[in-house]
Amino acid sequence: MNRSKAIALHTEGVAHLYVGIAKVDGEVTQAERTGAPFYAQKAQRIMDVMGLGKDIQAKIREAINSAYLRHRDWSPEQHLDEAISLISQAKDAGDWSTELIAARNADSLERVARIDGYIYKESKYLQEIRKRLKEID
């Protein structure tokens, strides 16, 4: 496994999950902009079986902020498609911890969804994230 490539792909893929959930209600609040990186970093401490968590944790804030800025006009669905593509590439690069992404980030993604009120769209989006990540396995 090319560790640095796998970490980069994994990190950017996870970042797109957080940006997508923040965007799903149509407006990204300041609380979501600051909360998403915080919760994403916190999630990387859970089930860190390959020892990639610390490396991902160090880069996830920058990756989330970059995804917000570079893809302002993207829909949540585009962020999810990009996340799945990048996570699949990380798995192909030898990162088998991608199988834990759904479990590792479930609570944190839900916390981001709840920052400005939890609505039906966010619930459906979280379900879609779980479904799409399961298809990678």
Side-chain angles (χ1 to χ4, degrees):
M1 168 178 77
N2 180 340
R3 183 178 170 90
S4 62
K5 180 179 180 180
I7 289 169
L9 292 167
H10 185 127
T11 303
E12 193 170 340
V14 170
H16 279 283
L17 295 177
Y18 283 89
V19 174
I21 195 65
K23 284 185 169 184
V24 81
D25 62 2
E27 180 181 346
V28 179
T29 64
Q30 184 60 34
E32 287 172 315
R33 289 278 317 245
T34 57
F38 170 78
Y39 287 117
Q41 285 180 310
K42 187 176 176 181
Q44 302 318 305
R45 299 179 199 141
I46 302 168
M47 295 183 283
D48 187 17
V49 295
M50 289 186 64
L52 300 178
K54 285 209 181 277
D55 294 328
I56 293 168
Q57 190 177 4
K59 296 173 185 199
I60 194 77
R61 179 174 297 277
E62 181 182 323
I64 290 172
N65 290 333
S66 176
Y68 275 128
L69 294 174
R70 284 185 298 134
H71 306 293
R72 288 179 192 260
D73 59 337
W74 278 21
S75 69
E77 292 76 20
Q78 288 172 299
H79 283 287
L80 180 55
D81 290 343
E82 183 71 2
I84 296 303
S85 173
L86 292 165
I87 292 166
S88 294
Q89 291 174 50
K91 185 174 183 178
D92 292 344
D95 178 5
W96 56 269
S97 73
T98 57
E99 296 174 12
L100 301 173
I101 288 174
R104 179 183 296 144
N105 292 278
D107 183 59
S108 292
L109 285 166
E110 189 168 325
R111 286 177 186 259
V112 172
R114 291 182 184 278
I115 287 174
D116 63 351
Y118 191 72
I119 61 172
Y120 180 73
K121 286 181 183 179
E122 289 161 329
S123 174
K124 295 301 283 181
Y125 192 78
L126 288 169
Q127 289 175 6
E128 186 65 16
I129 288 172
R130 286 189 286 274
K131 177 182 161 235
R132 300 274 304 273
L133 288 172
K134 190 177 277 191
E135 291 171 355
I136 293 173
D137 298 343

